[in-house]
């Protein structure tokens, strides 16, 4: 299942909000449609957001005709700004936008056709590199999975989140491919239900045994000794190792620590943000209360009920047993070279 | 809002599964309808289940005509068995059934009309005593609430759960009535959403400020120092203080301990089960997977997705700061006299 596909000057985005009931692609012919799809979580998952933003910027070069009363540079910066503003927490989005702006800078002076080709190639390159990184993350991470293993994961970090094999879920897939005996517990992940809708669907397709639970069932499983380890993805990992991930991740980290079970984070280096020192510096996106008030359009409470709906929480580095990246498994303090812009970009 | 009402040989049960959208009463003219309403969680909350079962047994005396080819004693035992089997975890149900059987025993030899009257009076008595107990629990508990206080509660433990003021929520109501400045955080309580549907509704009616959150948002609030204390109800508290309550309670107890916040349990003595020594002895009801798979009739995952849906989890006594009962605030080891059948029945 391809998450993003470029076809005839058009970006096709798999509408993940409709999964698993409907498989439907949104045709984006303008970068603003890409921004909207990101904002509405039609495409989600930190690495996939990076790739979507990169293609969004490539698309902007196709939208620019020279008749806008503006230079392409200004048009591109506007597109970059629009795409960046969609979701503030996942740093991969920002990383991909920066990378594309750099590529565009190198193309300055070229014809519009050459710029279009160059940006499109760069977007494809980001997607391809991501797939390779997923493979490396999965291979490094699989070493950490015993057999048999009862693994708790969270949200969706599979092919749908990265457009590759996945990060945390990629590790699970790889260990399963290696013949390890794995059972995955999948919390539904309220409010947008990525666990119930996406993760169980990916696990089923790959034949990995699993059980869906409500988010609040995790503690009970730990108490009964039914969880051997936790592995999650990340939306932003800052310099000291603190990280933002889907709301509820922190609860699982505390439960894992309390029950003395390892808790791993799997993410590519593009998820690291060395510019922020501590987790509390990460901007946490607060989303529409209706995501909580309504499920599939049906009210589950009364209209206008006061709601607090942060999309992410922050887990401190002390609770993390290891960070699984495409360069290997690490612990802070991270090597500065890891974050060098030349390497990471 | 009355949860249970006896009218002309009929038990009216407020259908809580329809709240807050619809206010609709189920008319039960046969005890089997009461059993069904309990099983389907139309009426829920440990103390309210006790009262509903008591009225169910009173109703059975009205159902018995003498033409069943059986004695009333046998008919009543059958009704008791049916009602007991509906929900295995909440001990109040069993407690009320035992109490009614005792009353019936004392009435043996009386006319059917006298038995009917006696059992009905006993059921009304249970309800009335419960209301008094709620008042006492609330008054004792309110002492523990500072002002201002940000309180995390869970599931629904208000008027809808007890047919009185409530237990944990009763404490909050009482503290609010006393003029304390309280803000309540209400987790939605998946899968049946008692928090989102019932607790916010009760808080709104009583003018207590609150915020609805998804269950997985609790950790983040603790981490940000936004929770001063936790107060929950219970479905069964055993001899050593371990207790069963709505799935997810244990997660909150671990979070409270990790963040060094008090965690209180409010419940009447009818919720205590001195016959079981430890939490692991409590039978935990596993409910229909469709409660997780579907919300308001809509599938949130794929059909037949494997699900684990325990209705309760067990919290060990070490995580409890105090037990608020109608006799005061206690900690284990509990006084044996507390559990004497004469006192408790």
């Amino acid at each position: 299942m391809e998450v993003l596909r470029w076809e005839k000057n058009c970006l096709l985005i798999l509408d993940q909000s409709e999964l698993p009931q409907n498989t439907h692609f949104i045709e984006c012919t303008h970068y603003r449609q890409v921004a909207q799809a990101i904002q509405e979580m039609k495409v989600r998952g930190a690495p996939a957001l990076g790739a979507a933003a990169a293609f969004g910027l490539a698309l902007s070069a196709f939208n620019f005709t020279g008749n806008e009363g503006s230079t392409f540079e200004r048009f591109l910066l506007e597109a970059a700004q629009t795409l960046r503003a969609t979701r503030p927490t996942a740093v991969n989005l920002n990383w991909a936008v920066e990378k594309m702006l750099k590529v565009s800078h190198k193309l300055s002076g070229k014809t519009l056709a050459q710029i279009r080709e160059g940006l499109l190639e760069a977007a494809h390159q980001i997607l391809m590199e991501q797939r390779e990184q997923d493979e490396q993350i999965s291979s490094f991470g699989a070493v950490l999975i015993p057999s048999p293993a009862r693994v708790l994961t969270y949200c969706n970090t599979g092919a749908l989140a990265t457009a590759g094999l996945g990060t945390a879920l990629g590790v699970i897939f790889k260990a399963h491919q290696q013949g390890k005996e794995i059972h995955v517990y999948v919390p539904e992940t309220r409010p947008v239900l990525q666990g119930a809708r996406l993760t169980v669907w990916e696990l089923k397709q790959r034949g990995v045994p699993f059980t869906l639970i409500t988010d609040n069932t995790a503690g009970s499983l730990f108490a009964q000794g039914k969880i051997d380890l936790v592995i999650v993805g990340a939306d932003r990992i800052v310099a000291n190792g603190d990280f933002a991930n889907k709301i509820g991740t922190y609860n699982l980290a505390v439960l894992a620590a309390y029950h003395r079970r390892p808790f791993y984070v799997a993410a590519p280096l593009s998820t690291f943000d060395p510019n922020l020192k501590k987790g509390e510096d990460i901007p946490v996106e607060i989303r529409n209360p209706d995501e909580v008030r309504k499920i599939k359009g049906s009210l589950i409470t009364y209209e206008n009920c006061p709601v607090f709906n942060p999309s992410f929480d922050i887990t401190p580095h002390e609770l993390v047993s290891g960070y699984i990246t495409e360069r290997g498994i690490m612990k802070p303090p991270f090597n500065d070279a890891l974050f060098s812009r030349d390497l990471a970009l």
Side-chain angles (χ1 to χ4, degrees), chain A residues 237-249:
Chain A
I237 304 170
V238 299
N240 74 345
D242 295 352
F243 74 103
N245 193 45
K246 182 53 58 200
I247 185 77
T249 302

PDB file of all heavy atoms in Angstrom, chain A residues 237-249:
ATOM      1  N   ILE A 237      12.782  14.362  18.739  1.00  0.00           N
ATOM      2  CA  ILE A 237      13.699  13.989  19.823  1.00  0.00           C
ATOM      3  C   ILE A 237      14.692  15.135  19.972  1.00  0.00           C
ATOM      4  O   ILE A 237      15.358  15.496  19.003  1.00  0.00           O
ATOM      5  CB  ILE A 237      14.456  12.683  19.493  1.00  0.00           C
ATOM      6  CG1 ILE A 237      13.463  11.541  19.194  1.00  0.00           C
ATOM      7  CG2 ILE A 237      15.381  12.291  20.647  1.00  0.00           C
ATOM      8  CD1 ILE A 237      14.103  10.280  18.625  1.00  0.00           C
ATOM      9  N   VAL A 238      14.754  15.721  21.165  1.00  0.00           N
ATOM     10  CA  VAL A 238      15.631  16.894  21.325  1.00  0.00           C
ATOM     11  C   VAL A 238      16.999  16.478  21.859  1.00  0.00           C
ATOM     12  O   VAL A 238      17.255  15.293  22.104  1.00  0.00           O
ATOM     13  CB  VAL A 238      14.976  17.982  22.203  1.00  0.00           C
ATOM     14  CG1 VAL A 238      13.685  18.479  21.553  1.00  0.00           C
ATOM     15  CG2 VAL A 238      14.738  17.465  23.602  1.00  0.00           C
ATOM     16  N   ALA A 239      17.876  17.478  22.040  1.00  0.00           N
ATOM     17  CA  ALA A 239      19.294  17.219  22.305  1.00  0.00           C
ATOM     18  C   ALA A 239      19.539  16.274  23.486  1.00  0.00           C
ATOM     19  O   ALA A 239      20.403  15.394  23.416  1.00  0.00           O
ATOM     20  CB  ALA A 239      20.022  18.543  22.516  1.00  0.00           C
ATOM     21  N   ASN A 240      18.771  16.415  24.556  1.00  0.00           N
ATOM     22  CA  ASN A 240      19.038  15.575  25.740  1.00  0.00           C
ATOM     23  C   ASN A 240      18.337  14.217  25.683  1.00  0.00           C
ATOM     24  O   ASN A 240      18.458  13.418  26.594  1.00  0.00           O
ATOM     25  CB  ASN A 240      18.643  16.327  27.026  1.00  0.00           C
ATOM     26  CG  ASN A 240      17.135  16.407  27.204  1.00  0.00           C
ATOM     27  OD1 ASN A 240      16.382  16.152  26.262  1.00  0.00           O
ATOM     28  ND2 ASN A 240      16.700  16.770  28.403  1.00  0.00           N
ATOM     29  N   GLY A 241      17.580  13.963  24.600  1.00  0.00           N
ATOM     30  CA  GLY A 241      16.905  12.676  24.451  1.00  0.00           C
ATOM     31  C   GLY A 241      15.422  12.705  24.791  1.00  0.00           C
ATOM     32  O   GLY A 241      14.691  11.763  24.476  1.00  0.00           O
ATOM     33  N   ASP A 242      14.946  13.762  25.444  1.00  0.00           N
ATOM     34  CA  ASP A 242      13.501  13.889  25.674  1.00  0.00           C
ATOM     35  C   ASP A 242      12.817  13.874  24.311  1.00  0.00           C
ATOM     36  O   ASP A 242      13.368  14.379  23.326  1.00  0.00           O
ATOM     37  CB  ASP A 242      13.162  15.218  26.357  1.00  0.00           C
ATOM     38  CG  ASP A 242      13.746  15.338  27.762  1.00  0.00           C
ATOM     39  OD1 ASP A 242      14.296  14.340  28.275  1.00  0.00           O
ATOM     40  OD2 ASP A 242      13.660  16.439  28.334  1.00  0.00           O
ATOM     41  N   PHE A 243      11.605  13.310  24.255  1.00  0.00           N
ATOM     42  CA  PHE A 243      10.963  13.269  22.939  1.00  0.00           C
ATOM     43  C   PHE A 243       9.456  13.449  23.010  1.00  0.00           C
ATOM     44  O   PHE A 243       8.810  13.136  24.008  1.00  0.00           O
ATOM     45  CB  PHE A 243      11.315  11.982  22.188  1.00  0.00           C
ATOM     46  CG  PHE A 243      10.621  10.750  22.705  1.00  0.00           C
ATOM     47  CD1 PHE A 243       9.530  10.217  22.026  1.00  0.00           C
ATOM     48  CD2 PHE A 243      11.049  10.125  23.866  1.00  0.00           C
ATOM     49  CE1 PHE A 243       8.875   9.079  22.499  1.00  0.00           C
ATOM     50  CE2 PHE A 243      10.409   8.993  24.343  1.00  0.00           C
ATOM     51  CZ  PHE A 243       9.319   8.471  23.664  1.00  0.00           C
ATOM     52  N   ALA A 244       8.926  13.987  21.906  1.00  0.00           N
ATOM     53  CA  ALA A 244       7.475  14.122  21.754  1.00  0.00           C
ATOM     54  C   ALA A 244       6.981  12.949  20.929  1.00  0.00           C
ATOM     55  O   ALA A 244       7.624  12.547  19.960  1.00  0.00           O
ATOM     56  CB  ALA A 244       7.133  15.427  21.035  1.00  0.00           C
ATOM     57  N   ASN A 245       5.856  12.386  21.334  1.00  0.00           N
ATOM     58  CA  ASN A 245       5.203  11.362  20.529  1.00  0.00           C
ATOM     59  C   ASN A 245       3.713  11.412  20.863  1.00  0.00           C
ATOM     60  O   ASN A 245       3.284  12.136  21.765  1.00  0.00           O
ATOM     61  CB  ASN A 245       5.805   9.980  20.823  1.00  0.00           C
ATOM     62  CG  ASN A 245       5.387   8.940  19.790  1.00  0.00           C
ATOM     63  OD1 ASN A 245       5.410   9.209  18.585  1.00  0.00           O
ATOM     64  ND2 ASN A 245       5.002   7.754  20.236  1.00  0.00           N
ATOM     65  N   LYS A 246       2.929  10.659  20.125  1.00  0.00           N
ATOM     66  CA  LYS A 246       1.466  10.641  20.284  1.00  0.00           C
ATOM     67  C   LYS A 246       1.065  10.653  21.756  1.00  0.00           C
ATOM     68  O   LYS A 246       1.632   9.944  22.574  1.00  0.00           O
ATOM     69  CB  LYS A 246       0.934   9.371  19.596  1.00  0.00           C
ATOM     70  CG  LYS A 246      -0.562   9.186  19.615  1.00  0.00           C
ATOM     71  CD  LYS A 246      -1.343  10.380  19.094  1.00  0.00           C
ATOM     72  CE  LYS A 246      -0.963  10.745  17.681  1.00  0.00           C
ATOM     73  NZ  LYS A 246      -1.359  12.158  17.350  1.00  0.00           N
ATOM     74  N   ILE A 247       0.073  11.470  22.081  1.00  0.00           N
ATOM     75  CA  ILE A 247      -0.430  11.569  23.448  1.00  0.00           C
ATOM     76  C   ILE A 247      -0.716  10.153  24.002  1.00  0.00           C
ATOM     77  O   ILE A 247      -1.368   9.356  23.332  1.00  0.00           O
ATOM     78  CB  ILE A 247      -1.700  12.461  23.501  1.00  0.00           C
ATOM     79  CG1 ILE A 247      -2.179  12.674  24.933  1.00  0.00           C
ATOM     80  CG2 ILE A 247      -2.850  11.927  22.638  1.00  0.00           C
ATOM     81  CD1 ILE A 247      -1.349  13.666  25.682  1.00  0.00           C
ATOM     82  N   GLY A 248      -0.195   9.879  25.186  1.00  0.00           N
ATOM     83  CA  GLY A 248      -0.349   8.554  25.786  1.00  0.00           C
ATOM     84  C   GLY A 248       0.968   7.796  25.850  1.00  0.00           C
ATOM     85  O   GLY A 248       1.102   6.835  26.611  1.00  0.00           O
ATOM     86  N   THR A 249       1.953   8.235  25.055  1.00  0.00           N
ATOM     87  CA  THR A 249       3.262   7.577  25.058  1.00  0.00           C
ATOM     88  C   THR A 249       3.895   7.664  26.440  1.00  0.00           C
ATOM     89  O   THR A 249       4.456   6.686  26.946  1.00  0.00           O
ATOM     90  CB  THR A 249       4.182   8.251  24.021  1.00  0.00           C
ATOM     91  OG1 THR A 249       3.557   8.163  22.741  1.00  0.00           O
ATOM     92  CG2 THR A 249       5.545   7.585  23.981  1.00  0.00           C
TER      93      THR A 249
END
